[in-house]
Amino acid sequence: GENVEQHPSTLSVQEGDSAVIKCTYSDSASNYFPWYKQELGKGPQLIIDIRSNVGEKKDQRIAVTLNKTAKHFSLHITETQPEDSAVYFCAAKDSNYQLIWGAGTKLIIKP
Amino acid sequence: DAGVIQSPRHEVTEMGQEVTLRCKPISGHNSLFWYRQTMMRGLELLIYFNNNVPIDDSGMPEDRFSAKMPNASFSTLKIQPSEPRDSAVYFCASSSHRDGTQYFGPGTRLTVL
């Protein structure tokens, strides 16, 4: 079945710098890759997603890239701000329509 | 829409007691998911329903756990009897179809003493 690995587990960046979180997946049939942000005491919330027919998608300061050949996808956050501090999860939708989740990355924005 | 609603937000109980967690999905959504989140195991899918029918319960840890969805606007996750290792945050999520975006509720933090 599908397996998703996420790195790093913790990422600390200076405010204003960029942050990159990477995920790899194992099932070549997976075709949908969402990213969720979880703030303290809240449920995960979708921030951006990408489907396998595109290689990159942007939404203001957030972008996601997908390399189907290498089976990896990444989240890029530019000009980081204090409110970006949270835990970020990647996921891949497998052939059974289930989301398989990465372990999460705790992003810390240093002032 | 108010989003996915879960109750209670916090539950503290003693080992051996029955615990019932409740979820109201977003109106119009026909898929519902129950997750458990712990530091050790991360986010785990327990069970999901499509059109009120359980599709995959392979994530349910053991027979002490059961879930029902009697109608499109309500689901329960029951643990009987509860054990300290069941302590976790339990999330409910819903989507408009099984391969759509999942919207999460605020979660129920369960502590079993």
Side-chain angles (χ1 to χ4, degrees), chain B residues 61-79:
Chain B
E62 47 198 276
D63 291 346
R64 298 184 297 106
F65 286 68
S66 62
K68 294 182 180 180
M69 192 165 186
N71 58 61
S73 59
F74 184 65
S75 177
T76 59
L77 178 67
K78 185 176 294 187
I79 308 172

Side-chain angles (χ1 to χ4, degrees), chain B residues 35-101:
Chain B
Y35 288 90
R36 178 172 68 178
Q37 186 176 41
T38 61
M39 288 294 294
M40 291 297 294
R41 301 175 67 90
L43 201 58
E44 303 173 275
L45 177 67
L46 301 177
I47 186 172
Y48 83 92
F49 296 82
N50 202 42
N51 294 321
N52 311 338
V53 176
I55 302 299
D56 185 351
D57 65 354
S58 59
M60 297 286 261
E62 47 198 276
D63 291 346
R64 298 184 297 106
F65 286 68
S66 62
K68 294 182 180 180
M69 192 165 186
N71 58 61
S73 59
F74 184 65
S75 177
T76 59
L77 178 67
K78 185 176 294 187
I79 308 172
Q80 167 63 19
S82 58
E83 296 182 2
R85 60 192 169 120
D86 301 331
S87 297
V89 181
Y90 291 81
F91 288 104
C92 175
S94 70
S95 70
S96 59
H97 46 87
R98 61 178 177 169
D99 59 346
T101 299

